[in-house]
Amino acid sequence: MPRPRSISDAELLAATARAIGAHGPGRLTLAHVGAEAGVSPATLSQRFGSKRALLLAFAAAAAADAAGPYRRARAVHDSPLAALHAAADEFAGHLSTPEELANHLGMLQLDLSDPEFRAHAAAHARAVDAALRELLDDAVAAGELPEGTDVPRLARALQIATDGSLLRWALTGDGDPAALLHQDLDHLLGRMP
């Protein structure tokens, strides 16, 4: 009879995210993930089979929860725009150094060069877009954004602003990433007709 699992796949994938932030996907080893999760590399091999399979599982899980930050924020904020800012805080909260962002951006290379990873990245981008559109539709309905707002275009601009703001922070090292992200989002939203 197999032993019961003492650590969930979700916990192992969270440890994978931390290990990617520390080492990047290229230098990442199962030992790095195991150290983060408190399990042996053999446990990861048994569960996922290989580093590639672990990274694909990580990418699939990230795509499946891409709308999660927006939905969690919306559940606790009456204001859709306050929820948008809370989700931005969650994104920025995962970053402590420019190097950590650079390590996470290493996944982008996999996303762009490998069709299996690209499929997950595309699903992630579509899910974020849908979550942003839902949030912005709520903001229009609540009167936080004007009637006639081009919600699809604004959702795209917000996604680009979020990615660009965090990348600029990593390049310059200036300021707090959450504060800078808030300023950039507020500037973009303040330009609405």
Side-chain angles (χ1 to χ4, degrees):
M1 182 162 123
R3 289 182 1 182
R5 292 182 176 184
S6 60
I7 186 167
S8 71
D9 283 354
E11 291 169 309
L12 292 175
L13 295 175
T16 301
R18 293 188 303 273
I20 289 169
H23 304 284
R27 294 186 324 249
L28 182 79
T29 66
L30 293 180
H32 291 135
V33 177
E36 284 287 338
V39 300
S40 72
T43 297
L44 293 166
S45 289
Q46 287 175 331
R47 192 85 62 96
F48 296 98
S50 67
K51 172 183 158 178
R52 177 182 171 76
L54 173 63
L55 289 175
L56 280 167
F58 170 75
D65 188 46
Y70 300 99
R71 293 199 175 117
R72 288 188 292 274
R74 186 68 177 112
V76 297
H77 291 280
D78 291 332
S79 161
L81 294 185
L84 175 67
H85 281 84
D89 286 341
E90 184 174 335
F91 301 139
H94 293 293
L95 303 172
S96 58
T97 66
E99 294 78 18
E100 186 175 10
L101 179 59
N103 287 334
H104 281 289
L105 284 174
M107 286 298 295
L108 182 59
Q109 183 177 9
L110 286 173
D111 295 340
L112 295 175
S113 63
D114 184 306
E116 287 184 89
F117 283 95
R118 189 178 317 114
H120 294 304
H124 187 282
R126 288 185 192 103
V128 169
D129 185 63
L132 279 168
R133 287 180 185 208
E134 185 178 320
L135 202 56
L136 295 173
D137 282 336
D138 287 352
V140 170
E144 293 184 325
L145 291 174
E147 287 292 328
T149 295
D150 185 344
V151 167
R153 186 172 181 186
L154 181 57
R156 180 178 175 183
L158 287 169
Q159 194 170 7
I160 291 166
T162 298
D163 294 344
S165 183
L166 294 174
L167 182 57
R168 186 175 189 287
W169 163 78
L171 290 170
T172 65
D174 295 338
D176 172 65
L180 294 170
L181 183 51
H182 281 276
Q183 291 168 9
D184 290 337
L185 295 178
D186 285 344
H187 179 75
L188 180 61
L189 292 168
R191 295 222 172 249
M192 295 302 303

